[in-house]
Amino acid sequence: MALYVYKFGGTSVGSIERIKGVAEKVKQAHDLGDQIVVVLSAMSGETNRLIALAKEMQVQPTEREMDVLISTGEQVTVALLSMALHQLGCDACSYTGAQVKILTDSVHTKARILHIDDAPIRAHLAEGKVVVVAGFQGVDEYGNITTLGRGGSDTTAVALAAALKADECHIYTDVDGVYTTDPRVEPKARRLNHITFEEMLEMASLGSKVLQIRSVEFAGKYNVALRVLSSFKEGCGTLITYEESQMESALISGIAFNRDEAKLTITGVPDLPGVAFKILGPIADANIEVDMIVQNIADDATTDFTFTVHRNDYLRAKALLEQTCVDLSARNVTGDDSIVKVSIVGVGMRSHAGIASTMFKTLAEENINIRMISTSEIKISVVVDEKYLELAVRALHAAFELDKVPANA
Ligand code: ADP
Ligand code: ASP
Ligand code: MG
């Protein structure tokens, strides 16, 4: 008898009909004699609707109250799925995150899971029940409801799979696996049969929202066998593995992009020790995350310094930088919040030279100006103007022949 954790995302539980479809699927697996834990998201659009309600009530609601509010969407779907299972004659029981004791830290709206007590779930499974758990939420040591950040149901599922030592964790969604890039942007994108944890982690952290970053971290750390599949059509999906793909020739596995970027530049900064700290210190103190950083070589004893932040933090970061500009007697501050980051990812990069130059040549041929570049062992990221996002992704997809990835490689 195997134990599976199945997670269904918002689109998969977006209507009564779809929840009934999920129930059929779960019942089928349960009837085969396997133990099934189901993790659900809220109905698609529900979490956004709840956030919009809060904003109507108060400009800046406390994060504690936000969590009480936005965790409700998942409570609706778990109850409905249990009812649908009962309707099919399948014994099932729904639980909120707090009820199954998904213990988190107290960082509201982006809490981290600290511990899961697996005993109660095991007991319910042993009674032959399907256990249906609300994703995206937990409880802190003081009994406050917490949430795990957008897309957090993926992490609930993987954390439960780790705690229960499940045989596999299946993430059922509206695509039939992890693709070479977001198929909404490049229809020629191909499904990957395998992707390594390392690559998936880069893809997720560089903007591919198919899996929440933390879920991939968790799966890697606890060696959870993780598979992304379609809720709507049969198939083996994409397995996320430790082993590198058999496709020796694949230099690049995928292209990720992030639309939520903004960049800021401070020019004419006196080039003295401690300048980077003076510029970025106030930004860090304001809890603003900085991604790429570029400092130019000093010219006439002054330097220019550019960095990127999340677009939501742009105005706050700009105001802080303008103050720093005055304090340091620098020349001026400029910014741009219509930029995006496009990245190519692949473990094949380690052993092949010339990937960066192919990337830059491809973008040059499309007349796309690169504003910033950053590299690591298995990725190259560029910042470009927002209007070039689709063009850049498609051109790179073709240049690295990702449209030729064999579907069953
Ligand atoms: P769910 O509601 O099931 O959690 P998400 O919307 O969070 O689903 O994630 C699935 C979406 O991720 C897909 O519809 C797709 O547009 C997007 N996506 C982005 N990058 C990729 C990729 N590389 N492969 C597959 N899907 C991707
Ligand atoms: N409902 C939450 C969200 O929309 C969590 C999830 O779907 O994973 O972000
Ligand atoms: Mg998701």
Side-chain angles (χ1 to χ4, degrees):
M1 183 179 25
L3 195 165
Y4 292 107
V5 176
Y6 290 174
K7 178 255 171 178
F8 293 88
T11 317
S12 316
V13 294
S15 66
I16 290 291
E17 281 317 308
R18 291 205 165 157
I19 294 176
K20 285 183 181 168
V22 168
E24 297 276 359
K25 208 179 179 83
V26 171
K27 182 177 185 299
Q28 252 176 35
H30 191 247
D31 285 350
L32 291 174
D34 293 324
Q35 294 189 320
I36 312 288
V37 175
V38 184
V39 173
L40 297 185
S41 289
M43 289 173 144
S44 54
E46 177 62 6
T47 311
N48 288 343
R49 187 186 74 86
L50 293 166
I51 292 171
L53 278 181
K55 294 271 147 73
E56 262 185 60
M57 185 55 70
Q58 202 181 6
V59 180
Q60 220 158 17
T62 66
E63 295 193 319
R64 183 190 180 283
E65 299 314 320
M66 279 307 281
D67 276 351
V68 174
L69 179 71
I70 64 178
S71 59
T72 58
E74 275 72 10
Q75 194 168 333
V76 171
T77 50
V78 290
L80 290 173
L81 179 67
S82 284
M83 292 175 198
L85 285 164
H86 295 164
Q87 191 74 18
L88 297 176
C90 182
D91 200 3
C93 212
S94 64
Y95 298 95
T96 63
Q99 283 176 313
V100 287
K101 280 258 164 3
I102 297 184
L103 184 72
T104 71
D105 61 21
S106 301
V107 184
H108 285 291
T109 76
K110 39 183 171 299
R112 278 181 182 271
I113 296 176
L114 301 175
H115 180 73
I116 296 179
D117 186 2
D118 62 319
I121 301 179
R122 280 191 193 287
H124 298 310
L125 290 172
E127 290 165 11
K129 286 191 173 121
V130 172
V131 176
V132 187
V133 181
F136 176 56
Q137 54 182 268
V139 63
D140 73 0
E141 60 175 317
Y142 310 104
N144 296 301
I145 296 174
T146 54
T147 63
L148 309 176
R150 298 307 304 269
S153 300
D154 297 333
T155 303
T156 306
V158 175
L160 278 169
L164 294 162
K165 302 190 176 57
D167 292 279
E168 259 192 35
C169 179
H170 290 182
I171 306 288
Y172 289 98
T173 181
D174 56 2
V175 271
D176 62 349
V178 177
Y179 275 63
T180 46
T181 192
D182 189 340
R184 288 184 211 213
V185 166
E186 172 50 288
K188 291 192 194 129
R190 304 295 295 258
R191 182 179 59 80
L192 298 162
N193 256 357
H194 311 263
I195 185 167
T196 65
F197 277 112
E198 215 181 350
E199 289 169 322
M200 193 63 236
L201 202 54
E202 284 287 3
M203 291 279 279
S205 52
L206 294 167
S208 296
K209 296 191 173 107
V210 60
L211 285 175
Q212 199 199 30
I213 307 169
R214 281 185 191 166
S215 72
V216 187
E217 279 170 2
F218 231 103
K221 191 165 163 194
Y222 295 99
N223 207 358
V224 174
L226 185 61
R227 197 181 279 279
V228 177
L229 315 105
S230 164
S231 292
F232 309 111
K233 69 178 206 209
E234 291 298 314
C236 59
T238 302
L239 185 66
I240 295 132
T241 57
Y242 273 109
E243 300 84 51
E244 298 194 2
S245 155
Q246 297 93 337
M247 293 181 297
E248 289 299 333
S249 59
L251 304 178
I252 301 301
S253 294
I255 301 173
F257 52 83
N258 192 347
R259 299 177 197 267
D260 307 324
E261 304 265 335
K263 79 179 170 67
L264 287 156
T265 302
I266 177 166
T267 62
V269 186
D271 190 27
L272 301 167
V275 154
F277 174 64
K278 282 189 184 135
I279 293 171
L280 295 178
I283 305 282
D285 290 345
N287 256 326
I288 297 173
E289 237 174 85
V290 170
D291 180 14
M292 289 190 195
I293 303 171
V294 176
Q295 184 182 338
N296 287 341
I297 294 169
D299 182 19
D300 68 20
T302 70
T303 184
D304 299 345
F305 196 95
T306 303
F307 58 93
T308 60
V309 294
H310 192 286
R311 216 175 269 187
N312 290 347
D313 293 324
Y314 174 67
L315 290 178
R316 257 186 339 130
K318 191 154 185 261
L320 289 166
L321 199 59
E322 272 156 2
Q323 184 55 50
T324 306
C325 183
V326 174
D327 296 347
L328 296 179
S329 307
R331 195 175 312 121
N332 71 346
V333 170
T334 57
D336 188 346
D337 64 350
S338 54
I339 53 142
V340 292
K341 183 167 70 174
V342 177
S343 311
I344 56 174
V345 175
V347 287
M349 237 183 255
R350 281 202 187 107
S351 46
H352 286 84
I355 308 266
S357 70
T358 304
M359 182 181 197
F360 303 151
K361 179 167 167 265
T362 307
L363 296 172
E365 281 167 359
E366 299 293 341
N367 256 320
I368 300 174
N369 198 8
I370 301 173
R371 309 227 168 249
M372 292 170 88
I373 301 171
S374 99
T375 64
S376 80
E377 219 191 353
I378 65 161
K379 71 116 207 264
I380 305 169
S381 298
V382 294
V383 165
V384 299
D385 291 348
E386 189 173 52
K387 62 182 178 208
Y388 295 127
L389 175 92
E390 279 80 8
L391 181 61
V393 169
R394 289 178 197 151
L396 291 168
H397 200 268
F400 288 103
E401 301 192 332
L402 292 175
D403 47 346
K404 300 203 176 84
V405 169
N408 290 314

